[in-house]
Amino acid sequence: MTSVSLGSGDTSGSQGCNESKVGICRSDFESSAEETRRAIHRVNTSLERISSLKAREGSAIAEADRLRMQWSKLLRETDGVLTKELQDLRSAEREARSLAEELALIGLEAQKSMEELRIDAATSASKSAALRRVVLSLVTDRVLDDLSKKLAPDLQRAYSLFRRREIESRTRRDRPDDSALLVAFAARFTAQLRQYSSDSDKDLNAAMGLSELDLTGIDPDLMNSPARRSLLSRQAACQ
């Protein structure tokens, strides 16, 4: 009979080291995640400002168009005589169009600033995501080590019985090798694992001891591409 080990050795020392790393990485993640939230807030605030500027610019243009139509109609009614009312309307139109132009310029400046904020937010999000992956890896190793220590004796016993049953119930020619037996043995637990497993962010964050990190509004391509962020930063600096 080929011996198949399903357990693990003494890992108390490595577990202590792992737990220390998890704590440090959790702290680093939380600090980075908070900065990412602030960066996303700055982006959203900038977007709202740009939207407000565009709306005010549109209102100023609409007002200027209304005033132009008004004084143009009045000019025809007076056969070209520039009355005080007509002059006031023309002056008001110029002021409205000047305001629209200034708002457009402010909007362009805000748009440039917003691009820089988007790059900063994506950079921060990338760092937070990387730290989260480190915590996920460390916690996964710890949980698997703990599970292996707890279940190894029972699994070894169950596999030995399963193997003996499969061998003794078949002829020598039809007996599967140990690799096939292990696959068949593991398949017995697949359905239960699928039934009880959860990939929800809430459950995973709870298992890792991490707060939630909502990356809504972050460009995933920008977040995952340092080269693109660097290129956009250089382009923004040249504008």
Side-chain angles (χ1 to χ4, degrees):
M1 172 178 175
T2 303
S3 174
V4 179
S5 176
L6 300 176
S8 62
D10 182 10
T11 60
S12 58
S14 62
Q15 280 186 332
C17 181
N18 181 283
E19 188 62 34
S20 177
K21 288 181 180 179
V22 171
I24 293 172
C25 290
R26 279 190 181 126
S27 178
D28 290 344
F29 168 82
E30 295 299 344
S31 296
S32 179
E34 182 57 33
E35 174 54 36
T36 299
R37 294 185 189 100
R38 289 196 292 266
I40 292 175
H41 177 71
R42 289 192 291 269
V43 170
N44 291 334
T45 300
S46 180
L47 287 172
E48 292 173 0
R49 179 169 179 251
I50 291 172
S51 178
S52 175
L53 286 167
K54 287 183 178 179
R56 291 166 61 193
E57 177 191 352
S59 296
I61 292 174
E63 177 64 8
D65 290 342
R66 184 189 69 80
L67 290 166
R68 179 174 181 80
M69 291 179 62
Q70 190 174 349
W71 73 252
S72 178
K73 179 181 178 182
L74 183 60
L75 183 65
R76 283 162 176 75
E77 292 176 353
T78 62
D79 291 330
V81 177
L82 294 177
T83 64
K84 183 179 186 307
E85 180 184 4
L86 195 149
Q87 291 177 358
D88 289 344
L89 288 172
R90 293 183 66 187
S91 177
E93 181 209 351
R94 287 192 297 270
E95 291 178 1
R97 293 201 185 281
S98 177
L99 175 61
E101 291 173 0
E102 288 299 322
L103 289 171
L105 288 175
I106 296 173
L108 289 175
E109 294 170 359
Q111 185 67 38
K112 178 182 177 181
S113 177
M114 196 273 289
E115 289 301 319
E116 296 173 352
L117 292 176
R118 286 180 63 246
I119 295 171
D120 290 343
T123 302
S124 181
S126 178
K127 178 183 177 181
S128 297
L131 288 168
R132 186 180 185 277
R133 288 192 295 271
V134 171
V135 175
L136 174 60
S137 178
L138 292 172
V139 171
T140 298
D141 288 342
R142 186 190 65 190
V143 170
L144 289 177
D145 286 345
D146 289 346
L147 185 64
S148 178
K149 289 176 64 178
K150 292 177 182 178
L151 298 183
D154 291 337
L155 284 174
Q156 188 73 59
R157 187 180 306 108
Y159 176 71
S160 296
L161 292 169
F162 174 80
R163 183 180 186 280
R164 180 59 61 87
R165 186 193 70 181
E166 294 300 307
I167 289 176
E168 293 188 359
S169 63
R170 303 173 186 232
T171 63
R172 181 179 296 276
R173 179 179 297 179
D174 295 332
R175 290 174 185 173
D177 58 21
D178 282 312
S179 295
L181 285 170
L182 279 170
V183 171
F185 179 72
R188 296 288 298 269
F189 304 98
T190 300
Q192 287 183 317
L193 286 173
R194 288 176 177 171
Q195 179 180 355
Y196 293 109
S197 66
S198 172
D199 285 333
S200 73
D201 286 340
K202 181 178 180 181
D203 291 340
L204 291 177
N205 287 334
M208 291 186 289
L210 299 179
S211 62
E212 182 180 0
L213 180 62
D214 184 2
L215 297 180
T216 302
I218 294 291
D219 183 344
D221 293 333
L222 191 60
M223 183 183 80
N224 296 319
S225 176
R228 185 182 173 200
R229 295 198 300 270
S230 178
L231 175 62
L232 292 178
S233 293
R234 291 196 300 270
Q235 291 175 345
C238 293
Q239 292 178 356

